[in-house]
Amino acid sequence: MGSVYKPWAFLDEYRGTGTGGISFSGEWPTLPELFRITVSRHGERNCFTVFEPGRVTLTYKEALRRIEAVARWLYSRGIRTGDKVAVTGKNSPEWAVAYLGVLFAGATVVPIDYQLRTEETDLLLKTAQAKILFVDEEKHAHYANNPGGLSDVVSLTSGVGVYIYDLDAPPADIEQAAETDIAAILFTSGTTGNPKGVMLTHRNLVADCYLAQGTPLRLYHTDVFYAILPIHHIYTMLAVFIETISVGAELVFGKKMISAIMLKELKEGRVTMLLGVPMLFNKLLAGIMRGMKAKGAVVFGILRFLMKISGAMKKTFGVNPGKKVFGAVLEKASLSTIRICISGGGPLAPSVFRTFNQMGIDFVQGYGLTETSPIIALNPVEHYKETSVGKVIPQADIKIHEPDAQGIGEIIVKGPMVMKGYYNMGTETEAVFTADGYLKTGDLGYLDGEKYLYLTGRCKNVIVTEGGKNVYPEEIENEFQLFFNEIDQILVRGYMADEKMKKEGIEALIHPNPELKNQSGQPYSASELKAMMEKIVLGVNQQLLPYQKIDRVTVLDKPMEMSSTKKIKRFTV
């Protein structure tokens, strides 16, 4: 057997030795220690970049100065180890500085989805017991005028209120968090009811960051990452933001998922690492294929033939000529500098995976969940399997719980990337772990002989949209309480809207109230009931977030089976 690839081996130089005045004592550095180590190695290199519309860049040393100033200010405002500080806003260098500034102050950061309604954000702030909020211009006025339990509200936008880059305070002896302390609390659901906050330690995040590179995924300080998906989400937070600062690469922040703007930023930023969800890659590939088809049927046929040859050569010999053969195509699509694409957050069609590789871009996919920081499986670039979600990463102990005759069962995992638990939810935490300490993922799958993981379905009700968003059916169902008279039962679930592209949609199964009568006292016809239910759904959709909207309505003529506690039996429908 060959030696195990350990991209984190360089950390030994800093473990307790004080190399360059930087050291750490744990198994893994904390996030502030990780950032200081990177600054000592790559301090003059570009760290955070944004196009506004001109290019604005902070080097690692400049970013550290701003982060330390925020930490000093937080300390001066009474923030200590274990206190909670929230950050909500669009992707930006200011967001990153706020996030790291909280950690440098020894506190716990609470990233919140900026797309949530104000009342939902209020609930999360209250649940997390946040003391200070960093917020962008869209919600700044609300919280500046209605701080509630917040002691301070800081703007992530220049020219609005107290701006983050203007913060500072005298030097202070700030107590730093330990490797096993909570670095971040991420709310995975519960914008109604009891929010569920996943507690991730410094060890969880840093270990997952480096272990994911051991698949191997070779990252370099010369790489340029692109953050276009919301950075509060664990996928972008870890796989883009934290991976970037772990190797001293550059992070280009994209603020709008608008094709023309994205393509311009990819080209101007000379991005090499593009991480996204299936929807993003589906759109990019559709644009490329349209361009190829526009050249005519004969040319398109030749290009498709060359793609198959290129893909076969990569599979057989490990050599990928696609970048040279399709250089002009990739240049036109602003993808010529891309070295690796990684898809996560939802199921990806193998055909998309295959086509990008055929064109010379190393394309891999991974698997994980918020509770695992998130990565626990990732396809190696050199030996990928198109139908697998990846090879189990080092130190992730994955088992298939109670497998059936085909070897399929619930995926369970133990390792340094597994969460500490749910915030202030002991019962829920206990329920999600097995008696011997494995986290139950709620997903069904199997492992092959080379430790590659394959998904076959989900135990949980959660729907994962094409955009990588988690949609919780119960939250949508709760919105229909207002229409109790018209609806007898409603069940919201995912359905495969496009089998080929692995695109999941959201469906509502509705059993109308059997007592409904028209003005003549007669039962409604099937078409009338269908129109009535669709009208109700249309009204509720207007109150939901874009990724939560129901796109298919099925009206049932018989009620759904219910449990003894009067809950619909989801898996009998």
Side-chain angles (χ1 to χ4, degrees):
M1 284 184 66
S3 59
V4 178
Y5 176 60
K6 293 184 177 180
W8 57 88
F10 75 93
L11 292 174
D12 290 337
E13 302 171 26
Y14 299 89
R15 187 177 281 106
T17 63
T19 300
I22 308 297
S23 66
F24 69 97
S25 57
E27 179 184 3
W28 297 96
T30 62
L31 283 163
E33 289 168 341
L34 175 151
F35 196 82
R36 290 187 189 280
I37 289 171
T38 298
V39 173
S40 74
R41 302 173 75 213
H42 306 292
E44 302 302 332
R45 294 195 62 83
N46 290 344
C47 180
F48 301 139
T49 292
V50 68
F51 295 97
E52 298 186 315
R55 183 187 182 111
V56 179
T57 297
L58 294 177
T59 66
Y60 273 88
K61 283 186 176 179
E62 289 168 343
L64 178 61
R65 283 196 292 271
R66 294 190 185 278
I67 291 163
E68 289 179 328
V70 171
R72 288 192 296 268
W73 179 84
L74 288 169
Y75 185 86
S76 75
R77 301 299 297 163
I79 296 298
R80 299 292 183 268
T81 304
D83 286 341
K84 317 300 187 298
V85 178
V87 182
T88 183
K90 295 181 289 293
N91 294 3
S92 67
E94 288 90 342
W95 191 102
V97 168
Y99 181 101
L100 290 171
V102 173
L103 299 179
F104 270 66
T108 297
V109 65
V110 182
I112 296 177
D113 185 348
Y114 75 92
Q115 291 181 311
L116 294 179
R117 296 190 294 258
T118 302
E119 56 268 29
E120 294 171 325
T121 303
D122 290 342
L123 177 59
L124 298 187
L125 291 171
K126 181 179 179 181
T127 302
Q129 301 171 303
K131 294 188 174 182
I132 291 176
L133 173 66
F134 290 89
V135 62
D136 66 12
E137 76 278 5
E138 292 179 5
K139 293 182 180 175
H140 179 271
H142 171 80
Y143 288 105
N145 296 324
N146 307 280
L150 300 167
S151 62
D152 291 277
V153 176
V154 180
S155 174
L156 297 175
T157 308
S158 178
V160 178
V162 178
Y163 181 45
I164 183 172
Y165 285 174
D166 294 332
L167 303 180
D168 204 350
D173 184 16
I174 300 174
E175 180 184 358
Q176 293 297 300
E179 158 185 21
T180 54
D181 286 339
I182 307 301
I185 298 176
L186 281 75
F187 289 97
T188 62
S189 66
T191 53
T192 61
N194 295 319
K196 186 182 289 184
V198 175
M199 297 187 293
L200 298 177
T201 66
H202 288 269
R203 178 175 184 253
N204 290 153
L205 294 167
V206 175
D208 197 57
C209 163
Y210 284 116
L211 293 171
Q213 296 176 36
T215 47
L217 175 66
R218 301 182 191 276
L219 304 180
Y220 307 101
H221 65 272
T222 51
D223 275 320
V224 180
F225 285 74
Y226 186 52
I228 186 59
L229 300 176
I231 199 170
H232 74 273
H233 190 280
I234 186 61
Y235 176 35
T236 310
M237 185 186 304
L238 188 288
V240 181
F241 175 39
I242 295 175
E243 290 288 4
T244 293
I245 63 175
S246 76
V247 297
E250 181 180 3
L251 179 54
V252 172
F253 291 90
K255 289 192 175 184
K256 296 180 180 178
M257 200 179 288
I258 298 173
S259 295
I261 295 176
M262 284 173 52
L263 295 177
K264 185 172 183 289
E265 291 174 340
L266 287 171
K267 191 169 187 176
E268 291 186 12
R270 299 195 62 77
V271 172
T272 65
M273 299 292 298
L274 179 58
L275 285 79
V277 292
M279 179 175 63
L280 173 64
F281 295 114
N282 291 340
K283 285 184 176 181
L284 287 174
L285 185 57
I288 292 172
M289 300 309 285
R290 278 197 303 271
M292 289 170 59
K293 287 179 179 177
K295 297 179 182 293
V298 174
V299 174
F300 180 67
I302 293 172
L303 290 173
R304 290 294 286 169
F305 175 74
L306 290 174
M307 285 168 67
K308 290 180 180 179
I309 296 296
S310 174
M313 289 183 67
K314 182 177 182 182
K315 280 265 188 179
T316 307
F317 305 109
V319 177
N320 194 345
K323 262 284 177 70
K324 290 184 178 179
V325 175
F326 302 101
V329 174
L330 295 174
E331 177 69 30
K332 189 172 183 179
S334 300
L335 299 177
S336 61
T337 61
I338 302 295
R339 191 168 67 83
I340 297 176
C341 288
I342 299 178
S343 180
L348 178 77
S351 59
V352 177
F353 190 7
R354 187 183 309 118
T355 304
F356 274 100
N357 275 296
Q358 290 174 342
M359 288 191 296
I361 295 175
D362 287 327
F363 197 106
V364 299
Q365 60 183 327
Y367 165 74
L369 51 160
T370 306
E371 289 86 343
T372 59
S373 303
I375 305 169
I376 54 176
L378 189 66
N379 259 297
V381 169
E382 292 88 352
H383 183 40
Y384 61 89
K385 298 186 181 183
E386 292 167 356
T387 56
S388 168
V389 291
K391 187 174 184 178
V392 177
I393 70 172
Q395 297 185 30
D397 178 9
I398 290 183
K399 293 183 178 181
I400 304 302
H401 186 56
E402 299 180 349
D404 62 15
Q406 287 76 44
I408 296 171
E410 183 176 8
I411 300 162
I412 59 175
V413 59
K414 184 188 285 186
M417 67 293 298
V418 175
M419 69 167 182
K420 197 164 188 173
Y422 296 118
Y423 183 60
N424 286 341
M425 300 182 88
T427 302
E428 288 81 356
T429 298
E430 184 178 355
V432 81
F433 283 94
T434 63
D436 52 352
Y438 283 81
L439 175 78
K440 295 183 281 189
T441 67
D443 291 321
L444 299 173
Y446 64 94
L447 290 163
D448 69 12
E450 294 183 285
K451 299 286 284 185
Y452 281 74
L453 185 64
Y454 299 78
L455 298 185
T456 59
R458 278 194 300 277
C459 304
K460 297 183 295 185
N461 303 332
V462 65
I463 303 163
V464 182
T465 69
E466 185 190 23
K469 291 284 191 179
N470 286 353
V471 177
Y472 297 84
E474 295 86 350
E475 293 189 357
I476 299 176
E477 290 163 2
N478 286 341
E479 296 290 330
F480 286 86
Q481 295 301 319
L482 295 174
F483 304 108
F484 182 79
N485 289 335
E486 289 87 354
I487 293 177
D488 176 44
Q489 294 175 320
I490 181 165
L491 182 140
V492 174
R493 67 180 185 181
Y495 73 96
M496 196 56 66
D498 187 329
E499 183 65 40
K500 183 178 179 181
M501 299 306 293
K502 301 296 182 185
K503 179 180 178 182
E504 195 169 12
I506 301 174
E507 175 184 32
L509 300 181
I510 300 175
H511 180 246
N513 184 342
E515 303 299 321
L516 282 177
K517 299 286 191 300
N518 61 24
Q519 291 180 344
S520 302
Q522 299 299 312
Y524 287 100
S525 67
S527 60
E528 289 173 328
L529 285 174
K530 174 83 168 175
M532 184 187 300
M533 298 304 117
E534 288 182 339
K535 184 177 180 181
I536 291 171
V537 168
L538 180 62
V540 171
N541 271 347
Q542 293 174 357
Q543 306 303 315
L544 297 172
L545 293 169
Y547 59 84
Q548 294 178 311
K549 295 185 186 302
I550 295 166
D551 52 42
R552 187 167 85 178
V553 176
T554 299
V555 178
L556 307 176
D557 57 5
K558 294 181 181 179
M560 292 172 272
E561 185 180 354
M562 302 183 78
S563 69
S564 59
T565 57
K566 301 302 179 185
K567 291 182 180 178
I568 296 171
K569 293 185 176 180
R570 289 184 177 273
F571 301 105
T572 63
V573 178

